[in-house]
Amino acid sequence: LTDLQAKAWDPWLDFFKNKFGSLETTTSLKALPQNDFVKDTVKAYVTDLTDDVFNILQFVTSVAGSVVLAIAFIEEKIDPDTLFKAMRVEEHYKAMLYNEEKYGPETLQGKRDAAIQSDLQAARRFLKLL
């Protein structure tokens, strides 16, 4: 799982680091405090967004569970499909463990995934129209 997470997330953590500074990361469940400079820099960035772009940032952050992915998304550095794969690394790993290819996924998971992917595509189209 750690290797899958690194492969999916390291490019976006590097993107974030180059733009704002390094984030503290962990492979445990423990929450880590973040550098005040990084927090202040991100706050200034978000404050300068237009209302429309901020709304997309807020949506993607809540869906993906990551402001890192959301910022990469609004800056058009990550496409909706790659973002979806990155945000679902743990679920993909679980699917491999439970051999979902053979036994099938949880009943409603496919519908939830399709709805999220559709919303991310719509968010991308909205940003392009701005």
Side-chain angles (χ1 to χ4, degrees), residues 53-65:
V53 175
F54 174 79
N55 283 328
I56 296 298
L57 177 78
Q58 186 277 329
F59 163 72
V60 175
T61 300
S62 65
V63 168

Side-chain angles (χ1 to χ4, degrees), residues 11-95:
W12 311 116
L13 292 171
D14 289 342
F15 158 79
F16 188 91
K17 178 182 177 180
N18 290 335
K19 189 163 188 68
F20 301 108
S22 293
L23 286 174
E24 296 294 323
T25 61
T26 182
T27 57
S28 77
L29 297 176
K30 181 182 176 188
L32 298 175
Q34 297 298 328
N35 177 303
D36 286 337
F37 175 77
V38 172
K39 289 191 289 187
D40 292 342
T41 305
V42 171
K43 180 180 178 180
Y45 173 85
V46 170
T47 301
D48 287 342
L49 296 175
T50 65
D51 289 345
D52 290 331
V53 175
F54 174 79
N55 283 328
I56 296 298
L57 177 78
Q58 186 277 329
F59 163 72
V60 175
T61 300
S62 65
V63 168
S66 168
V67 74
V68 172
L69 293 177
I71 291 171
F73 184 83
I74 65 170
E75 294 213 355
E76 298 186 39
K77 303 296 184 192
I78 188 171
D79 63 82
D81 293 333
T82 304
L83 185 147
F84 183 78
K85 288 174 186 169
M87 67 181 253
R88 301 276 298 161
V89 170
E90 289 84 2
E91 290 83 356
H92 176 70
Y93 181 73
K94 183 181 92 175

